[in-house]
Amino acid sequence: MKYIFVAGAPGSKWSSVVKNIYWSKDLDHTDYSEKRTYYHDASGTLDLMHLGAYFDPGMEFALPEKLDALNRSQLENIFDQPFVGTGTRIIKSHLFSEYIDFLRVTFPEIPIIMVDRGDDACLGWWVKCGHFDITYPLYHSYFKDLRTMSEIIKRQNAAIRKAAKEYPGQIPETNLQLARMLGIKTPTREYYQNYAESDIKVTLI
C-alpha cells in the first residue's frame, strides 16, 4: 500500500485523525519537518496539531483546483515530493473531499479516510485554531476570506456525506480501530483518540 488518502474540510479535526495514526511504524514520516508543524491552544493546552505535508491549491504542495485535470502519474509525482523514505505515505488534502469518485477510479487500491463534522463546528474550530494566521499550512491564497472558507467547508462536507452513502465503508470508533482497519501497526497509547469524544465521524472506504 503506497498511500493512505485523507479528506476533510478545514476545521473538521482531520489533522487530529492524521496525527493519531501518523507515528505508526508502517508509515513514511519523512515529510515531517519543523517548518511543517503548527501548534495551537484551541483545546486549552498548546498542542502540536498540524504535521507533515499538506496538499491543496495555494499550499506548499499545490494541487490544481480541478484535480481530475491530472492523471495518476502526474498526481504521484506531486504526492511523492516531500518523501524520501519507505513505508505507506499519508496524503492529506481538503480538495480530496470533492473528488472521491475520481480518486476511487484513479487509485482503486488506495484507502480513503473521510472525516465529517458539522459545518458551523468546522468553521468555528478553524477560526479558534488561528484562522488565516495559521502558519502551516497556509490558507489565505485559495480559501481567501471567511465567506469563501464557509462556502468551501459546506461544499466539502456535503461531498463527504454524499460519498459516505455511495461508498459504504467502515466506521472506526478510535484511532486504534482505524489503524487495524488500514492494516498498519497501531501507534503508542499516548496517541489514543476516541472519535465520538472528538465530535467527529470517520469513515474508511
Side-chain angles (χ1 to χ4, degrees), residues 57-72:
M59 292 186 177
E60 181 185 8
F61 298 97
L63 294 173
E65 292 185 35
K66 300 294 185 182
L67 189 66
D68 53 3
L70 302 182
N71 60 35
R72 177 171 176 139

Side-chain angles (χ1 to χ4, degrees), residues 3-199:
Y3 303 120
I4 295 168
F5 294 151
V6 186
S12 63
K13 296 189 177 181
W14 72 320
S15 290
S16 70
V17 174
V18 171
K19 184 184 80 168
N20 291 312
I21 62 169
Y22 184 83
W23 296 111
S24 167
K25 293 180 180 180
D26 288 325
L27 301 184
D28 185 347
H29 311 125
T30 55
D31 65 327
Y32 179 92
S33 68
E34 287 301 315
K35 74 174 184 177
R36 295 187 188 130
T37 62
Y38 178 69
Y39 292 76
H40 67 70
D41 60 0
S43 63
T45 59
L46 188 64
D47 294 315
L48 172 62
M49 293 309 300
H50 295 175
L51 76 170
Y54 284 70
F55 300 79
D56 254 329
M59 292 186 177
E60 181 185 8
F61 298 97
L63 294 173
E65 292 185 35
K66 300 294 185 182
L67 189 66
D68 53 3
L70 302 182
N71 60 35
R72 177 171 176 139
S73 178
Q74 291 170 319
L75 286 169
E76 288 190 356
N77 286 338
I78 297 173
F79 296 159
D80 292 339
Q81 286 177 15
F83 297 94
V84 295
T86 60
T88 300
R89 298 170 173 181
I90 291 181
I91 309 297
K92 49 191 180 290
S93 173
H94 297 302
L95 192 64
F96 283 173
S97 306
E98 303 173 64
Y99 286 92
I100 300 298
D101 291 343
F102 170 72
L103 293 173
R104 266 289 59 93
V105 171
T106 309
F107 297 89
E109 80 285 9
I110 301 301
I112 303 174
I113 300 168
M114 302 188 300
V115 183
D116 183 14
R117 194 174 185 222
D119 298 347
D120 290 343
C122 282
L123 183 61
W125 183 253
W126 182 81
V127 169
K128 191 174 183 180
C129 291
H131 55 92
F132 289 103
D133 292 330
I134 292 171
T135 56
Y136 192 85
L138 298 178
Y139 282 92
H140 57 270
S141 177
Y142 177 65
F143 295 89
K144 297 178 182 178
D145 52 44
L146 279 179
R147 181 183 294 275
T148 303
M149 173 62 80
S150 177
E151 292 171 353
I152 291 175
I153 286 173
K154 290 178 181 178
R155 189 172 73 226
Q156 293 184 343
N157 277 334
I160 281 177
R161 290 162 195 155
K162 179 175 180 288
K165 292 179 180 178
E166 293 179 353
Y167 300 95
Q170 298 172 286
I171 301 177
E173 296 179 359
T174 69
N175 66 315
L176 302 180
Q177 288 183 358
L178 176 59
R180 287 193 288 269
M181 290 172 181
L182 289 165
I184 61 174
K185 292 183 175 67
T186 55
T188 58
R189 294 290 298 186
E190 67 184 289
Y191 293 104
Y192 178 79
Q193 182 181 23
N194 180 291
Y195 297 138
E197 291 176 1
S198 296
D199 185 33

